[in-house]
């Protein structure tokens, strides 16, 4: 009788253990699949100067500003000035509205000759116009950031730009490529994602950064810093173009595990450039 009871008990214990293991792995895989949805969508910028959390649209705007500056040969100081302006004016979002007839990232006004509403809603165009105006400000590189921004914007309270200087330095470190692996984004990836569009991504990068930006499967980079600028731009725009992967300098960012950031890449590196797929 005792032996029967012992066998029955062992059988029950074995069943319970098997069920517990099955439940554990079922929950684990469910949570793993649900993790991107629980995390939502976001970007993080991490440099020696500090860490910032951004919405994906904000990261796209920040990447555009840095790329346009690079194309125009503007110094990093100009990029910081553009960032304090964009943060104060629109929270670095491409707004379709604003004070009076102001629109876009820099809240530029069509009635003041900045361009049409449609043009100013294009962050590339709006950034070009901002830098063209900034370049005309005498000794702007020697001015405090908020004074240089005010010289372009002529807002009601130019001192307000000053509160964003620390964030502007972090953003400039990351998106100009001076800090490596500084930008990563994450968002839920559908079970049946749309086809990746690296060709369209390259076309937009060429429009923003210049014709030397994209040739073939690998986007050429003339320097390590420019490579990280391209890599940051690609990650910020990965959701927009359905990019699955960005590879550069021995590391990889993947959309499926975007929250994990950049990880070591065991495959041969793409020679001299950034690979997007």
């Amino acid at each position: 009788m005792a032996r029967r009871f012992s066998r029955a008990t062992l059988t029950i214990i074995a069943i319970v253990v098997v069920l517990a293991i099955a439940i554990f792995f079922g929950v684990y895989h469910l949570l793993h699949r649900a993790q991107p949805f629980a995390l939502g969508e976001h970007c993080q910028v991490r440099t020696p100067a500090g860490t910032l959390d951004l919405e994906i649209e904000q990261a796209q705007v920040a990447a555009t500003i840095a790329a346009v500056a690079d194309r125009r040969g503007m110094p990093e100081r100009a990029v910081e000035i553009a960032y304090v302006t964009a943060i104060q004016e629109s929270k670095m979002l491409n707004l379709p509205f604003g004070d009076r007839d102001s629109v876009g990232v820099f809240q530029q006004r069509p009635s003041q000759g900045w361009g049409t509403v449609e043009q100013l809603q294009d962050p590339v165009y709006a950034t070009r116009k901002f830098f063209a105006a900034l370049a005309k400000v005498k000794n702007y590189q020697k001015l405090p950031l908020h004074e240089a921004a005010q010289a372009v914007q002529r807002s009601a309270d130019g001192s307000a730009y000053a509160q964003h200087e620390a964030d502007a330095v972090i953003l400039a470190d990351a998106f100009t490529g001076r800090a490596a692996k500084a930008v990563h984004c994450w968002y839920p990836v559908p079970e049946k994602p749309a086809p990746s569009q690296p060709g369209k991504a390259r076309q937009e990068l060429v429009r923003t950064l210049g014709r030397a930006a994209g040739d073939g499967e690998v986007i050429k980079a003339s320097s390590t810093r420019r490579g990280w600028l391209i890599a940051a731009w690609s990650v910020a725009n990965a959701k927009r173009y359905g990019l699955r992967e960005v590879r550069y300098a021995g590391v990889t960012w993947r959309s499926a595990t975007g929250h994990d950031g950049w990880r070591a890449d065991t495959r041969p590196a793409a020679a001299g450039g950034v690979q997007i797929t």
Side-chain angles (χ1 to χ4, degrees):
M1 187 74 176
R3 182 177 295 176
R4 284 191 213 156
F5 178 78
S6 177
R7 286 179 178 174
T9 302
L10 289 175
T11 301
I12 292 171
I13 291 172
I15 293 172
V16 170
V17 169
V18 171
L19 287 174
I21 292 173
I23 291 170
F24 171 80
F25 281 105
V27 171
Y28 173 81
H29 286 296
L30 180 63
L31 291 175
H32 184 72
R33 290 184 63 185
Q35 185 184 38
F37 296 91
L39 292 171
E41 59 177 53
H42 222 58
C43 295
Q44 187 174 83
V45 176
R46 185 177 299 167
T47 76
T51 300
L52 285 177
D53 291 320
L54 302 176
E55 296 178 20
I56 288 179
E57 183 183 347
Q58 290 174 314
Q60 291 170 346
V61 169
T64 294
I65 289 172
V68 171
D70 186 270
R71 179 172 189 168
R72 291 182 61 92
M74 303 294 284
E76 190 167 332
R77 185 71 173 177
V79 179
E80 293 171 357
I81 295 166
Y83 284 148
V84 297
T85 306
I87 295 170
Q88 176 61 29
E89 295 292 349
S90 68
K91 296 189 182 344
M92 224 155 52
L93 298 170
N94 190 21
L95 300 179
F97 56 83
D99 180 48
R100 287 173 282 188
D101 61 335
S102 300
V103 294
V105 172
F106 297 100
Q107 290 291 280
Q108 294 149 322
R109 299 180 60 190
S111 63
Q112 300 299 311
W114 287 97
T116 67
V117 172
E118 183 179 3
Q119 287 173 325
L120 296 174
Q121 287 259 248
D122 173 9
V124 175
Y125 175 91
T127 303
R128 287 173 182 166
K129 295 293 287 187
F130 179 87
F131 283 136
L134 178 62
K136 296 177 182 177
V137 176
K138 186 177 180 180
N139 296 323
Y140 75 86
Q141 293 191 60
K142 297 181 180 179
L143 295 176
L145 293 182
H146 67 280
E147 290 185 14
Q150 175 65 358
V152 175
Q153 297 295 106
R154 300 177 183 177
S155 66
D157 181 12
S159 65
Y161 299 114
Q163 63 188 309
H164 307 299
E165 290 188 12
D167 289 350
V169 170
I170 295 171
L171 292 170
D173 280 356
F175 286 98
T176 64
R178 186 145 60 84
K181 301 181 289 186
V183 180
H184 70 278
C185 301
W186 60 92
Y187 46 87
V189 178
E191 288 190 11
K192 295 182 179 180
S196 176
Q197 302 179 77
K200 285 190 175 182
R202 282 194 294 271
Q203 287 176 7
E204 179 62 16
L205 183 58
V206 168
R207 186 174 80 93
T208 307
L209 186 59
R211 61 186 177 84
D215 289 312
E217 295 183 357
V218 176
I219 302 171
K220 299 297 182 181
S222 57
S223 66
T224 300
R225 180 167 179 169
R226 187 177 174 88
W228 281 115
L229 182 155
I230 294 169
W233 185 95
S234 300
V235 170
N237 286 277
K239 182 182 179 184
R240 180 180 178 185
Y241 296 105
L243 302 181
R244 311 280 197 270
E245 191 174 64
V246 179
R247 302 176 62 213
Y248 182 60
V251 291
T252 303
W253 170 90
R254 294 184 177 89
S255 60
T257 56
H259 191 269
D260 295 336
W262 294 87
R263 291 292 180 262
D265 191 348
T266 56
R267 294 166 296 171
V274 182
Q275 185 173 17
I276 59 174
T277 53

